[in-house]
């Protein structure tokens, strides 16, 4: 856990990790697993965690600038529409130095991307050593919407699960720590959030009429997510399901997963490759 004074009573990576007997239907989106503080304490812990996260990220980025970084982080965010991916990007990742963060929001593939294997466009956007990469949606769209909307034959969808596992094992072996997060909201909560977007002119830009079409397939998507967890939650790249009806908890949980991962990497400030005292004297005399 990141701090002794926080409301976390169990490591987020333990209570949120998808295990072999995991069932998405058994997860209550209203709950706050592992965290005993309420919204007010959660806000305080989130604010406190920003400083820790920022320093760890800056150390990692500093290592990359001098060529000694051997690790990177890839945060994959998947969810139904309005589950809060944008809030994670703004309130969690947005608190660190943007130089060391590469954000990719994957949309429908272009004609060029469709001409290649589905992982082609993903590989091009993987973070280099020393960088935190964030995928707002990802290659998992190809086994979620691809399955639900029947955009590929069943045998191709089956092939993709194994291809994803092999791909993620390879990049994990190269030093990328993979954090795959599904933000889990209830169907009722999604309806509330979509309704708010329609009621507020400042949120109309967020609303997509297609969201209602996807909402009609809710049960199919939940089944597709369940299969994704069963087939692709591995030791090298585990899945974490974050109950997300409470936005404050979802943000805090993802921050905690990042803190645990960066703490395990333990990046260090690079040592100077010059004589510090001599440079102080030169600077004073200039």
């Amino acid at each position: 856990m990141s701090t002794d004074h926080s409301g976390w009573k169990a490591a987020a990576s333990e209570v949120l990790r998808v295990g072999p007997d995991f069932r998405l239907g058994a997860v209550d989106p209203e709950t706050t697993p592992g965290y005993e503080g309420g919204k007010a304490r959660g806000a305080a812990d989130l604010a406190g965690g920003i400083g820790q996260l920022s320093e760890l990220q800056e150390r990692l980025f500093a290592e990359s600038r001098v060529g000694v970084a051997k690790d990177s982080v890839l945060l994959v965010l998947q969810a139904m529409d309005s589950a809060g991916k944008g809030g994670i990007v703004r309130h969690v990742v947005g608190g660190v130095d943007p130089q060391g963060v590469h954000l990719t929001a994957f949309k429908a593939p272009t004609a060029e991307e469709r001409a290649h294997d589905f992982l082609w466009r993903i590989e091009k956007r993987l973070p280099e050593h020393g960088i935190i990469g964030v995928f707002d949606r990802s290659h998992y769209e190809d086994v979620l919407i691809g399955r639900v909307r029947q955009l590929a034959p069943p045998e191709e969808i089956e092939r993709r699960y194994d291809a994803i596992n092999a791909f993620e094992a390879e990049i994990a072996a190269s030093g990328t720590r993979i954090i795959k997060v599904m933000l889990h909201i209830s169907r009722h909560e999604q309806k509330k959030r979509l309704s708010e977007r329609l009621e507020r002119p400042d949120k109309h830009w967020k609303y997509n009429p297609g969201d209602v079409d996807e909402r009609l397939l809710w049960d199919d998507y939940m089944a597709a997510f369940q299969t994704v967890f069963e087939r692709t939650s591995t030791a090298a790249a585990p899945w974490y399901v974050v109950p997300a009806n409470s936005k404050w908890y979802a943000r805090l949980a993802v921050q905690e997963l990042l803190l645990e991962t960066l703490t395990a990497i333990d990046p260090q400030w690079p040592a100077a490759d010059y004589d510090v005292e001599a440079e102080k004297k030169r600077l004073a005399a200039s």
Side-chain angles (χ1 to χ4, degrees), residues 199-261:
E199 293 297 328
R200 293 178 50 177
D202 63 321
K203 290 186 178 289
H204 285 176
W205 67 275
K206 285 188 172 184
Y207 185 83
N208 182 347
D211 292 348
V212 176
D213 297 327
E214 298 305 299
R215 178 177 164 76
L216 295 174
L217 299 169
W218 187 276
D219 291 342
D220 294 333
Y221 274 107
M222 294 303 103
F225 269 112
Q226 178 66 40
T227 301
V228 160
F229 300 144
E230 292 172 358
R231 297 290 298 274
T232 65
S233 190
T234 63
W239 273 101
Y240 301 96
V241 172
V242 175
N245 276 14
S246 297
K247 293 179 181 179
W248 66 266
Y249 173 77
R251 295 165 185 172
L252 189 65
V254 174
Q255 182 188 75
E256 189 72 6
L257 290 170
L258 283 167
L259 282 170
E260 289 184 33
T261 300

Side-chain angles (χ1 to χ4, degrees), residues 86-202:
I88 298 296
V89 172
R90 288 193 302 276
H91 297 284
V92 179
V93 183
V96 304
D97 186 345
Q99 292 184 96
V101 176
H102 289 173
L103 170 65
T104 304
F106 286 99
K107 306 298 183 183
T110 64
E112 180 187 18
E113 290 168 343
R114 287 196 300 271
H116 293 80
D117 182 74
F118 77 105
L119 290 171
W120 180 77
R121 66 174 184 161
I122 306 299
E123 187 170 13
K124 293 171 61 177
R125 292 167 175 82
L126 291 174
E128 300 175 353
H129 288 164
I131 300 295
I132 296 177
V134 182
F135 284 176
D136 181 345
R137 302 192 188 276
S138 67
H139 43 300
Y140 283 97
E141 294 295 286
D142 295 282
V143 289
L144 288 167
I145 190 172
R147 170 178 167 167
V148 172
R149 287 293 186 178
Q150 299 180 355
L151 302 180
E155 59 271 19
E156 170 60 15
I157 298 296
E158 284 297 314
R159 182 194 73 83
R160 289 175 182 176
Y161 296 124
D162 292 335
I164 286 171
N165 288 339
F167 174 70
E168 291 178 346
E170 181 179 353
I171 62 176
S174 73
T176 299
R177 312 292 181 101
I178 305 171
I179 308 170
K180 300 186 298 193
V181 172
M182 187 252 193
L183 299 173
H184 185 38
I185 61 171
S186 67
R187 190 171 185 173
H188 177 69
E189 178 66 20
Q190 188 199 47
K191 189 173 186 177
K192 285 173 53 181
R193 295 183 186 184
L194 292 177
S195 296
E196 181 184 16
R197 291 178 180 181
L198 287 173
E199 293 297 328
R200 293 178 50 177
D202 63 321

Side-chain angles (χ1 to χ4, degrees), residues 255-275:
Q255 182 188 75
E256 189 72 6
L257 290 170
L258 283 167
L259 282 170
E260 289 184 33
T261 300
L262 285 165
T263 299
I265 293 173
D266 193 24
Q268 300 297 312
W269 295 117
D273 58 358
Y274 50 84
D275 188 324

